[in-house]
């Protein structure tokens, strides 16, 4: 089983950070990577995940996530090529060992909410309009609010997967 580093483009990395996907498809990344090979996923010169090659679909490479470290990625330290690159086993082991692999057991519970005022004739119509707005605005414009279960005062707004200030009065103070 070979060990590889594969780079994903910035636009794809931005999308991966927004959604919890089980796999990532790298266009044109198949090359010499075979199913069951281990892959360090690199984005913006950082190692963001450990994956296992699931299959190739023509020139595309499908990788199944094993461990992710999206919020605190590791410096790539010499990894990086425009196509899959074989990695020295020692370097691979060192970087893979530093990636956090967390079991869902014992993880904190978070509450996530999207709320918006909607004028509608019925509750069902309000729900239809809500989902239409969510689909139309998406994660680029619609803030999601997150807080640890039981600690509502710690609520933070996130837009595009990053913390975003939603207080217009604080924005005015910055000017």
């Amino acid at each position: 089983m070979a060990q590889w580093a594969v780079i994903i483009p910035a636009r794809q990395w931005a999308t991966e950070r927004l959604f919890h996907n089980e796999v990532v498809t790298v266009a044109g990344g198949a090359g010499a990577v075979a199913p069951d090979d281990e892959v360090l996923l690199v984005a913006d010169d950082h190692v963001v995940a450990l994956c296992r090659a699931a299959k190739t679909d023509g020139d595309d490479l499908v990788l199944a996530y094993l461990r992710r470290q999206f919020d605190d990625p590791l410096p790539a330290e010499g990894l990086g090529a425009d196509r899959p690159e074989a990695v020295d086993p020692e370097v691979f082991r060192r970087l893979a060992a530093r990636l956090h692999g967390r079991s869902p057991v014992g993880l904190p519970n978070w509450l996530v909410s999207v709320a918006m005022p909607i004028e509608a004739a019925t509750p069902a119509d309000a729900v239809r309009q809500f989902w239409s707005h969510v689909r139309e605005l998406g994660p680029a414009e619609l803030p999601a609010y997150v807080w640890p279960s039981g600690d509502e005062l710690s609520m933070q707004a996130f837009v595009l997967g990053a913390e975003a200030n939603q207080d217009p009065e604080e924005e005015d103070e910055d000017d």
Side-chain angles (χ1 to χ4, degrees), residues 20-35:
H20 184 89
N21 297 311
E22 296 300 319
V23 298
V24 57
T25 301
V26 181
V33 180

Side-chain angles (χ1 to χ4, degrees), residues 18-96:
L18 287 177
F19 301 99
H20 184 89
N21 297 311
E22 296 300 319
V23 298
V24 57
T25 301
V26 181
V33 180
D36 293 328
D37 283 353
E38 291 184 320
V39 176
L40 292 173
L41 191 63
V42 179
D44 290 339
D45 297 322
H46 285 82
V47 177
V48 299
L50 173 64
C51 303
R52 182 171 316 282
K55 63 180 178 177
T56 57
D57 186 14
D59 287 339
D60 296 342
L61 175 63
V62 178
L63 302 172
Y65 286 110
L66 299 175
R67 288 186 244 158
R68 308 163 205 241
Q69 197 158 324
F70 288 0
D71 298 325
D72 187 23
L74 304 172
E77 298 176 358
L79 296 179
D82 292 334
R83 58 190 179 285
E85 172 184 280
V87 177
D88 174 85
E90 184 61 35
V91 171
F92 188 94
R93 279 192 296 277
R94 180 175 43 82
L95 289 170

Side-chain angles (χ1 to χ4, degrees), residues 53 58 94 137 156:
R94 180 175 43 82
L137 297 173
Q156 298 172 307

Side-chain angles (χ1 to χ4, degrees), residues 104-118:
V105 176
L107 290 177
N109 287 319
W110 298 89
L111 297 176
V112 179
S113 174
V114 174
M116 64 183 83
I118 295 177

